[in-house]
Amino acid sequence: MAAHSKPAQLGPWGKATAGAAGAAFANVLVYPLDLIKTKLQVQVKKSADVEKQEATASNEVHYKGTWDALTKIKNAEGIAGLYAGMNGALLGVTSSNFAYFYWYSIVRTLYLQYQKSDAHPSTAAELSLGAVAGALGQLFTIPVAVVTTRQQTQSKEDRKGIIDTAREVVEGEDGITGLWRGLKASLVLVVNPAITYGAYERLKDILFPGKNTLKPWEAFLLGALSKSIATIVTQPLIVAKVGLQSKPPAARNGKPFKSFVEVMEFIVKNEGALSLFKGIGPQLLKGFLVQGILMMTKERVELMFILFMRFLSKLRSQQLGKAAALAAAAKVTSPVIAK
């Protein structure tokens, strides 16, 4: 039983590294879905006639759905077009997940120490801990998310690298604070990972009670289910955040949105309330796969860390033992010098 409890002793850096590695691996596999859901979420839905007229006038492409977007991007830009902005996205997901798991590990440990109890935190406590960790992580990582969103929504002709896109944001109306555009929405959206990991812990206790080390398929199932729940609940906020961080639609005449409430009001007025859930198809599929793979990978990486640490500890013990034996042998065999 003691052996099974070891993984819980992995420190914040180990958990953060495991989470970041899992996130990077998962997002590389499903990045085209991330790109497509972003494009779907920023476009303004119009009638077929209006859409055709505006597309002809501005060369702007509109997508009817996930498959339509996939096909049009591939035909226009090739396979490489489906991975536009991936470097920034990977930097974003790696840094944000590292920050999240690092702070989550710390605040959860402090909470358990304060409670002085071996009992699992309640659902409300898990959600609160996740929200605190998410908020701390967002403060440090949102500039990368802003730059990535800009890259993903730029046309092939306008697309720039990470540094040039960041410079474009800074030179905009908001100046340097533009890199933190959507921070309020992001802080509200910490409920997403809070719900995700709160649901993960609850579902783990319900579906696999008493298990400390999960099999890969078990971790995948828990991660996928918990992320799906969080996505459905927070999709309107996700759409609003993307709208805040991307270039404003043509109907705004270049005027950026000031708050996620303003984005939501614009969407409801111009597209209808159901458009607050636009892009939910690829968003759900992406979340299902990414979170499932992330948690499956994270569990394996954490286990590898534990085994590696045990190996180092064993190696160190053996070296100390040999050093002690050599010191003892030297003491016994050293000659006595008579004065």
Side-chain angles (χ1 to χ4, degrees), residues 3-327:
H4 286 294
S5 64
K6 285 284 185 182
Q9 296 177 6
L10 192 63
W13 285 99
K15 287 183 178 295
T17 303
F25 177 67
N27 277 274
V28 166
L29 296 181
V30 300
Y31 181 76
L33 281 174
D34 185 45
L35 177 74
I36 288 169
K37 68 91 181 170
T38 301
K39 288 184 176 292
L40 288 174
Q41 287 169 352
V42 298
Q43 72 177 10
V44 180
K45 291 183 180 178
K46 302 178 180 70
S47 65
D49 292 336
V50 174
E51 182 180 313
K52 187 175 181 181
Q53 290 172 3
E54 292 193 0
T56 303
S58 64
N59 293 322
E60 182 181 351
V61 181
H62 277 259
Y63 309 106
K64 297 176 182 176
T66 305
W67 184 254
D68 184 52
L70 182 70
T71 305
K72 286 180 177 177
I73 294 170
K74 180 180 176 296
N75 290 341
E77 304 179 40
I79 295 295
L82 294 171
Y83 291 87
M86 188 174 76
N87 291 340
L90 284 181
L91 177 61
V93 297
T94 302
S95 59
S96 62
N97 277 275
F98 184 94
Y100 179 85
F101 284 109
Y102 178 80
W103 288 113
Y104 182 76
S105 177
I106 288 178
V107 296
R108 197 171 194 272
T109 300
L110 291 173
Y111 174 82
L112 292 174
Q113 289 175 350
Y114 175 77
Q115 287 293 100
K116 297 179 181 179
S117 171
D118 293 332
H120 285 291
S122 64
T123 302
E126 288 285 7
L127 291 174
S128 300
L129 294 173
V132 171
L136 289 169
Q138 283 295 328
L139 292 173
F140 296 100
T141 61
I142 193 171
V144 181
V146 171
V147 172
T148 299
T149 301
R150 279 292 180 93
Q151 285 186 305
Q152 290 178 333
T153 54
Q154 287 171 337
S155 65
K156 184 179 180 181
E157 294 74 21
D158 297 332
R159 195 169 296 142
K160 305 176 181 70
I162 296 175
I163 302 300
D164 288 335
T165 304
R167 187 180 294 115
E168 179 184 79
V169 174
V170 172
E171 291 173 352
E173 182 181 314
D174 295 329
I176 189 70
T177 59
L179 291 172
W180 277 266
R181 171 168 283 277
L183 177 60
K184 291 180 181 178
S186 296
L187 291 178
V188 174
L189 268 172
V190 298
V191 298
N192 186 289
I195 292 171
T196 300
Y197 296 109
Y200 182 90
E201 294 296 335
R202 292 298 96 195
L203 289 171
K204 182 179 178 181
D205 290 339
I206 294 169
L207 299 178
F208 308 108
K211 293 194 74 171
N212 290 307
T213 303
L214 297 175
K215 295 177 181 177
W217 72 267
E218 293 172 339
F220 181 94
L221 177 65
L222 289 177
L225 289 176
S226 59
K227 188 62 177 181
S228 296
I229 293 169
T231 298
I232 292 171
V233 172
T234 60
Q235 180 66 8
L237 293 174
I238 293 172
V239 172
K241 178 190 172 188
V242 172
L244 267 176
Q245 295 177 339
S246 62
K247 282 188 174 181
R252 298 273 300 178
N253 297 317
K255 182 182 178 183
F257 293 107
K258 295 298 181 183
S259 69
F260 65 92
V261 174
E262 189 180 4
V263 179
M264 294 169 75
E265 287 175 346
F266 177 84
I267 292 172
V268 172
K269 181 181 178 181
N270 291 274
E271 307 173 56
L274 284 179
S275 289
L276 291 173
F277 290 86
K278 60 185 176 181
I280 194 169
Q283 182 85 47
L284 271 174
L285 182 57
K286 178 218 168 189
F288 185 91
L289 294 173
V290 166
Q291 200 66 31
I293 296 170
L294 188 159
M295 297 310 295
M296 180 176 68
T297 307
K298 178 177 174 289
E299 291 279 339
R300 297 302 98 188
V301 174
E302 283 187 0
L303 184 58
M304 288 170 61
F305 265 107
I306 295 297
L307 295 175
F308 183 63
M309 288 165 66
R310 287 179 182 172
F311 170 75
L312 290 179
S313 179
K314 183 179 179 181
L315 190 64
R316 184 169 178 272
S317 296
Q318 290 175 343
Q319 289 176 337
L320 288 173
K322 289 179 180 179
L326 288 172

